[in-house]
Amino acid sequence: MHPSTAMPDLSAAPKPIAAPAARPPRRLRGVLSLDDFETLARRHLPRPVYGYMSAVAETGASFDDNRAAYAEYGFRPGVMVDVSRRSTATTLFEETYAAPFGFSPLGLTALSSYRGDVVIAQAARAARLPMIMSGSSLIRLEDVAEQHPGAWFQAYLPGDRAALEALIDRVSRTAFKTLVVTVDTPVPPNSENTVRMGFSAPLRPSLSLAWQGLTHPRWLCGTFLRTLVKHGMPHFENNYATRGAPILSPSVMRDFSERGHLHWDDLRNIRRLWRGRLVVKGILRGDDARRAQDCGADGIIVSNHGGRQLDGAVAPLRALPEVVRACPGIPVMIDSGVRRGTDVLKALALGARMAFVGRPFGYAAAVGGLPALEHGIRLLTQEVSRDMAMLGVTSVDQIKAEEHLTLRRPK
């Protein structure tokens, strides 16, 4: 960690929201796992909006393998262990979190849920969990930092160096103290699956799009029209130091310019400019992880972008041990494919310090806002705690691959 880095004083920040209720709202009582939120979101959201959230690259090979990788590991539980005083608490970067999972960055969240990034920040802060805000947000990063000063900001680096430096300067003037640089998006991904679902950037008004809104009145009134009335037409707010284009503008694509010329010297320059904690996301190889560490990274997130970028990219869980071995001096984290408490524990056993969850919490925010997020956090925390008990451990740092995991034999 950079010597000048200091965690924000949360006592001076806005008063936290109330702790999660013991029981979810009635309409969420059938949600028994994170996967159940997707079923509700598919019904609640217009097809194009759901299509954007659920989209995978090309054939979905990476997305499918993200889940398959977790299934290939089995547990070797220890028995007759007193687990009555177990704790899911997790320490990362000298900060103690309530559980070993957090919120992955989710772009365009405010299109699927009213003030989505703000609501996620509120939920993460109240639950004492890490949260990464996406640079592809429709809400100003300053507004999110105000709600959760301990959150992290993910930057999609502008191709122009002056614009890059201006963006970093903007982030440095907020309460964000952790910058996450995503490095697996040198060019935009193949958009065929979002196009099939009717989503486009920019959004193009059409009879079909209007019909989707009218046939999903809860979303239309509770999210889209409410946003228009209270905040105006959504813009891409955080790709640059200045406000980006509105979501209906043909100039939107300029905010997603190719970054193919960026290289390791740019990361070194970011390290020079950024005085806080620097995390690099999108690493799948040990040699790249070492280069990132040599450039000044304080942490690594092993990720294939949830299967949204390069189809066929290796599942992060398969790459995790190599990256952990390559960077023993800094924390390694993981995202992509995490859905259950058992997934979290398998990732911890293989060396991850934190597992980040993306789409399921986005679906939760869409269908039920803050109460649904609280319910999802509670479900996953309970799974982690229950699975720890059955594994025979009382703290997350006791989970070891050599002791608790085995590879299943192929059929």
Side-chain angles (χ1 to χ4, degrees):
M1 185 172 68
H2 197 279
S4 64
T5 299
M7 290 303 296
D9 180 8
L10 298 183
S11 64
K15 185 178 179 180
I17 56 178
R23 286 174 62 82
R26 182 178 299 277
R27 70 188 189 88
L28 295 177
R29 291 177 190 172
V31 175
L32 305 180
S33 73
L34 293 189
D35 284 336
D36 293 337
F37 284 116
E38 182 172 5
T39 302
L40 296 180
R42 188 184 298 113
R43 295 198 297 262
H44 170 75
L45 294 170
R47 188 169 184 265
V49 178
Y50 171 75
Y52 173 79
M53 293 186 70
S54 63
V56 299
E58 299 180 1
T59 67
S62 289
F63 178 84
D64 293 339
D65 195 45
N66 288 345
R67 296 298 305 135
Y70 283 97
E72 290 179 7
Y73 283 95
F75 285 117
R76 301 175 64 245
V79 299
M80 297 301 290
V81 178
D82 182 356
V83 294
S84 60
R85 297 181 182 275
R86 65 191 179 279
S87 170
T88 61
T90 303
T91 300
L92 176 67
F93 294 128
E94 301 179 355
E95 178 78 3
T96 299
Y97 296 102
F101 63 85
F103 293 80
S104 291
L106 293 167
L108 278 68
T109 307
L111 191 60
S112 56
S113 55
Y114 178 70
R115 306 297 283 171
D117 302 275
V118 169
V119 173
I120 291 173
Q122 291 172 337
R125 184 179 180 193
R128 295 187 295 115
L129 297 175
M131 174 252 186
I132 309 174
M133 180 189 180
S134 172
S136 293
S137 171
L138 304 176
I139 296 177
R140 296 172 66 250
L141 63 92
E142 290 84 358
D143 295 341
V144 176
E146 182 180 351
Q147 293 294 327
H148 188 359
W152 307 358
F153 179 75
Q154 174 220 33
Y156 286 107
L157 302 180
D160 176 75
R161 176 162 291 188
L164 184 155
E165 294 181 357
L167 175 62
I168 293 175
D169 180 65
R170 176 187 172 189
V171 179
S172 70
R173 287 183 272 110
T174 72
F176 287 121
K177 300 303 178 185
T178 301
L179 179 68
V180 179
V181 176
T182 294
V183 294
D184 61 356
T185 57
V187 296
N190 186 337
S191 61
E192 67 180 77
N193 289 317
T194 54
V195 171
R196 294 183 205 280
M197 296 289 280
F199 184 86
S200 64
L203 285 178
R204 297 182 178 90
S206 66
L207 290 176
S208 174
L209 192 60
W211 177 250
Q212 283 292 321
L214 291 172
T215 54
H216 295 82
R218 284 187 57 238
W219 172 86
L220 179 65
C221 297
T223 299
F224 190 68
L225 294 180
R226 187 180 178 192
T227 298
L228 288 180
V229 169
K230 293 194 172 185
H231 306 281
M233 180 62 66
H235 286 59
F236 287 94
E237 299 282 1
N238 306 304
N239 284 316
Y240 294 95
T242 56
R243 193 181 202 193
I247 59 173
L248 296 178
S249 171
S251 64
V252 157
M253 292 311 296
R254 288 203 297 267
D255 285 2
F256 296 92
S257 58
E258 291 192 7
R259 308 172 182 91
H261 63 283
L262 294 171
H263 51 80
W264 292 110
D265 285 343
D266 291 292
L267 187 61
R268 293 186 183 92
N269 187 44
I270 292 168
R271 175 70 285 175
R272 179 180 62 82
L273 296 169
W274 176 251
R275 308 303 295 174
R277 185 179 297 124
L278 180 63
V279 173
V280 176
K281 177 179 178 292
I283 297 286
L284 290 170
R285 291 168 37 164
D287 57 346
D288 279 345
R290 282 192 296 272
R291 289 189 185 98
Q293 184 177 16
D294 291 344
C295 290
D298 299 304
I300 301 290
I301 300 179
V302 185
S303 169
N304 68 10
H305 222 101
R308 297 175 72 98
Q309 289 297 119
L310 174 64
D311 197 30
V314 64
L317 193 73
R318 302 186 195 280
L320 178 62
E322 176 185 335
V323 174
V324 170
R325 289 193 300 270
C327 298
I330 60 176
V332 175
M333 297 150 276
I334 191 171
D335 78 1
S336 306
V338 179
R339 296 292 183 272
R340 308 297 304 228
T342 50
D343 300 338
V344 174
L345 297 191
K346 289 173 183 179
L348 295 180
L350 292 172
R353 296 287 297 278
M354 184 70 65
F356 287 93
V357 181
R359 289 181 183 91
F361 285 137
Y363 295 139
V367 300
L370 185 59
L373 285 166
E374 292 172 341
H375 184 48
I377 291 168
R378 186 164 53 249
L379 286 173
L380 191 55
T381 302
Q382 289 171 349
E383 286 186 6
V384 170
S385 178
R386 184 186 307 115
D387 296 336
M388 287 175 61
M390 290 189 283
L391 196 58
V393 298
T394 59
S395 65
V396 296
D397 57 7
Q398 294 175 357
I399 305 168
K400 308 295 181 185
E402 59 273 16
E403 185 175 348
H404 297 111
L405 285 190
T406 184
L407 275 170
R408 301 181 190 273
R409 294 185 180 274
K411 295 182 179 179

